[in-house]
Amino acid sequence: MTRNGKIELMAPAGNFESLQAAIDSGADSVYFGVEQLNMRARATINFTLEDLPEITRRCGKRNIRTYLTLNTIIYDHDLSIIKTVLDTAKESGVTAVIAMDQAVIAYARQINMEVHISTQINITNIEAVKFYCLFADTVVLSRELSLRQIKKICSQIEKEGVKGPSGNLIEVEVFGHGALCMAVSGKCYLSLHSHNSSANRGACKQNCRKKYTVIDQESGFEIELDNEYMMSPKDLCTIDFLDQIIDAGVKVLKIEGRGRAPEYVATVIKTYREAIDSYYEGTFTKEKIDVWMKALEKVYNRGFWGGYYLGQKLGEWSDGPGTQATQKKVYVGKGVHYYPKPGIAEFKIEAYDIKVGDTLLITGPTTGVKELQLDQMMVDDLKTAMAEKGNNCTFPTGFKIRPSDKLYKIVKE
């Protein structure tokens, strides 16, 4: 649901570091998977059923909604697991389940749990929305729709008073930022064909992200392509036309990235939070968009394009196999102790040296993601400009660190 009349900013959480990063960076809601029945079953370390109470506890303290993804194709042997997962989610206070299989939708309704329809259903018109409003309070529209088509659906929901089971007008969610699949709303069969590993069961092998050569089988002539990664779309980015998305009537903006690092979640959610707030404050400007784009370019991305929203045809392909981020993190060491009175943290340096002036990143399941500039530090109670592998160093952080925390330094690419 919208927060304070604003579009809801929905964040990915693949682990507790990312979850805390989303909470600290201004997310209104988070989505996550448990066990293997979600579309990122192999892309990240999923939460377990035992984690659900802690997830809802952390989010509940900040009035953040929690969404469980159970959006894969379901087979008969999955049905008992589905019921166990949904029962546990309901008992743990999870807000809603994101689903595409009728078995999940039906059981969630049976136990009176809020349902959101996944993009895999491919909702593209108002009549489909009116059908699914019998089961769901939020629908994720097909990723192939233009903003003009989305605006028409949103206006028809208002005009016809289309309501979900909660009695409220059904809300429209769209995909706002992150990795795009070349297939229609993510329904791809390449991985199943090549590796017997179904993308629609959360086990995508990402065939589309690889380099291919096309050969004429009759002549043996090799066709030269102007892009070697012709099935790997650039990442979606909507921050430069976010105002148009909000004006279209969209209520929920989903950020993709359960398989990406916690600093990705922190940066992207913080940036979109600023952009959303700026829109409602009337300060959404081209100058700010330029600053936000530079921030988004720092973390993992395959280059950016605006998807289908502005009526563009598919053709914005990435020109490399991995990230085009302008900076990366390098592992340095791990947390040892925190001294609360002076606000000083101690770390064991296990890999690369650090020196005064470095930008450091600290991540942890409870700490989340924290970035700081190293202005001073000590080794063996002596002030120093550098700490080397094997040293224990201390420096002020202003926030608590824990032995489970990891220390990185940020370097330019």
Side-chain angles (χ1 to χ4, degrees), residues 252-282:
V252 185
L253 188 75
K254 176 191 175 185
I255 306 300
E256 184 65 78
R258 276 182 293 149
R260 294 189 176 177
E263 65 272 12
Y264 172 89
V265 176
T267 297
V268 176
I269 295 302
K270 179 177 179 291
T271 304
Y272 273 85
R273 176 79 274 154
E274 289 180 6
I276 289 170
D277 292 345
S278 288
Y279 169 85
Y280 289 99
E281 292 163 2

Side-chain angles (χ1 to χ4, degrees), residues 131-143:
F131 174 79
Y132 283 105
C133 80
L134 300 171
F135 315 98
D137 287 297
T138 300
V139 292
V140 187
L141 297 183
S142 173
R143 292 183 185 175

Side-chain angles (χ1 to χ4, degrees), residues 179 231 269 271 284 296:
M231 291 192 295
I269 295 302
T271 304
F284 189 86
L296 294 171

